[in-house]
Amino acid sequence: MRIKLLLFLIIGTLVSVACSTETDTIDTSTVTLEVSITRLDKDFFQLDTQEDILNFLVTHEDVAARFLGYTPDDIELIEQLHTMRYDPAIAELYEETQKVFADMGDFESQLEEAFKRIKVLYPTFEAPRVYTMITGMGSDLLVTDSMVVIGLDFFLGEGAKFRPIDVPNYILQRYNKDYIIPAIVTLISDRFNTLDLSENSMLSEMISYGKAYYFTKLILPAEPIENIIAYTSIQLADIRENEAVIWAHFIDKQLLFESSHFVKNKYMGERPFVAEIGRRCPGRIGAWLGWKIVNAYMEKNKELTVQALMETENSEAIFSNSGYRPGKF
């Protein structure tokens, strides 16, 4: 299954140990690559007429098509954007966005270093162009091979006057700027994450996510675990305290080779907690266990590179050769 995002303080030594050796070998000093964020959010609020908006859409047609759903001569979208441009509430949202994202220099530097690290591992990797937009909470994040588009208004964080609507609190907490770069890198990892599409088991999905998170932590070694997997420090503490119970549940219920989408979604999908295990077990627990298994696998097989890991299709082989046990890290 391909990685999906809607778009932690490190507890113990959950992941950092397994990444340390390879992290130290990624030397970006000779990589020539520059990230410059194009602030389309600012450009949009300089437009006046519908003709200006049309020219804006045509000039940035790739972004408009993929992020806004624009098609040539889309009069309805032009009218909607023109209305949005002069909506007092959207103007207030824009002002708040400019305060939170007034200076994106550090963001550019962090993203540039991440792209350089990816290019060291995969020399054919070409850094995508990066754009920012405001859509009135219409679209949050787009990552393709050629572009990254960030809907800044989604990521204003706790305390902002404007937040995404109809989003439950357990998901809403990750809509702040600290989660943007980890989400981008995790989505980029998808292109390197080789899967056996004939596998339909819970374990296959767990390992797929585990490989993605391992890759992201390797590319962003200083990033708190919370920001990568989108758990709070309290949730991580609860998981570590109850890891043996969680793992026993997976084994007792024979979940690893479960193929029912309905059952898998209980453990892989977005939920405030996994009721089948307990209120202190957060949703997506299968993805977290997949990360632990992959880390155990790489720790046990130190000669393997991340490229070899990402090319390994057989999830059962990764699991059987991981030696994973609860509480090992």
Side-chain angles (χ1 to χ4, degrees):
M1 170 176 261
R2 286 299 180 189
I3 299 300
K4 295 178 288 186
L5 269 70
L6 283 171
L7 348 190
F8 251 159
L9 298 173
I10 292 179
I11 305 299
T13 56
L14 175 63
V15 175
S16 56
V17 173
C19 295
S20 60
T21 300
E22 191 164 7
T23 294
D24 295 341
T25 68
I26 301 179
D27 179 8
T28 63
S29 61
T30 61
V31 178
T32 301
L33 184 155
E34 183 177 350
V35 171
S36 179
I37 297 175
T38 302
R39 297 294 300 265
L40 296 183
D41 54 309
K42 293 184 176 182
D43 294 346
F44 176 79
F45 280 88
Q46 299 301 313
L47 306 178
D48 293 321
T49 67
Q50 289 192 22
E51 184 178 359
D52 291 338
I53 291 174
L54 173 59
N55 291 334
F56 174 83
L57 294 174
V58 170
T59 301
H60 305 288
E61 188 170 5
D62 287 349
V63 177
R66 298 296 300 274
F67 199 65
L68 301 176
Y70 170 71
T71 56
D73 302 319
D74 189 343
I75 303 301
E76 184 177 355
L77 177 61
I78 293 170
E79 291 174 348
Q80 290 174 350
L81 291 175
H82 188 259
T83 299
M84 188 181 89
R85 165 67 179 87
Y86 289 99
D87 185 323
I90 298 297
E92 190 175 358
L93 171 64
Y94 171 68
E95 291 301 322
E96 186 169 20
T97 302
Q98 298 313 296
K99 292 177 182 177
V100 175
F101 295 98
D103 182 1
M104 298 192 72
D106 287 346
F107 190 96
E108 283 183 336
S109 298
Q110 293 169 26
L111 205 53
E112 182 176 296
E113 179 63 17
F115 289 169
K116 285 181 177 181
R117 292 174 70 84
I118 295 173
K119 194 167 183 65
V120 170
L121 297 176
Y122 296 93
T124 61
F125 171 76
E126 296 295 333
R129 302 182 303 278
V130 183
Y131 303 91
T132 57
M133 289 280 286
I134 289 179
T135 64
M137 304 297 176
S139 300
D140 54 1
L141 181 64
L142 170 71
V143 178
T144 74
D145 287 355
S146 60
M147 75 176 75
V148 171
V149 189
I150 306 163
L152 294 180
D153 42 333
F154 266 85
F155 298 96
L156 296 177
E158 185 178 359
K161 181 176 180 179
F162 300 96
R163 301 301 308 277
I165 59 175
D166 299 326
V167 176
N169 285 334
Y170 65 92
I171 295 176
L172 190 63
Q173 60 90 18
R174 78 190 67 157
Y175 273 116
N176 71 65
K177 61 183 181 180
D178 292 338
Y179 291 88
I180 297 175
I181 292 179
I184 290 170
V185 174
T186 301
L187 288 168
I188 287 175
S189 77
D190 200 41
R191 71 184 73 174
F192 309 117
N193 198 348
T194 306
L195 308 174
D196 182 351
L197 298 180
S198 67
E199 290 190 17
N200 191 35
S201 66
M202 179 95 71
L203 179 63
S204 176
E205 292 192 23
M206 290 166 61
I207 297 302
S208 176
Y209 278 93
K211 288 162 66 180
Y213 291 137
Y214 183 92
F215 177 94
T216 302
K217 183 61 177 173
L218 186 65
I219 298 303
L220 303 172
E223 195 69 41
I225 293 171
E226 292 94 333
N227 295 355
I228 294 175
I229 198 167
Y231 282 157
T232 67
S233 57
I234 293 174
Q235 287 174 319
L236 280 180
D238 284 342
I239 292 171
R240 286 191 59 78
E241 183 178 340
N242 297 286
E243 185 177 350
V245 173
I246 294 169
W247 183 243
H249 178 89
F250 270 70
I251 299 304
D252 292 345
K253 300 299 182 181
Q254 300 180 351
L255 293 175
L256 295 182
F257 302 103
E258 177 63 61
S259 61
S260 164
H261 176 74
F262 176 76
V263 175
K264 288 190 293 183
N265 195 53
K266 291 181 178 181
Y267 300 92
M268 303 299 300
E270 296 285 1
R271 303 175 73 185
F273 57 89
V274 180
E276 291 75 11
I277 298 177
R279 296 187 65 89
R280 294 177 64 189
C281 179
R284 299 178 292 112
I285 191 62
W288 182 84
L289 283 175
W291 194 4
K292 287 293 296 284
I293 291 168
V294 169
N295 272 283
Y297 174 74
M298 294 301 284
E299 179 69 10
K300 186 176 179 181
N301 299 277
K302 294 181 182 294
E303 75 284 358
L304 290 180
T305 64
V306 68
Q307 297 94 325
L309 168 69
M310 300 300 279
E311 291 171 5
T312 301
E313 297 182 356
N314 192 327
S315 60
E316 292 184 35
I318 291 176
F319 172 62
S320 63
N321 287 290
S322 70
Y324 165 73
R325 294 292 182 273
K328 181 177 179 182
F329 294 116

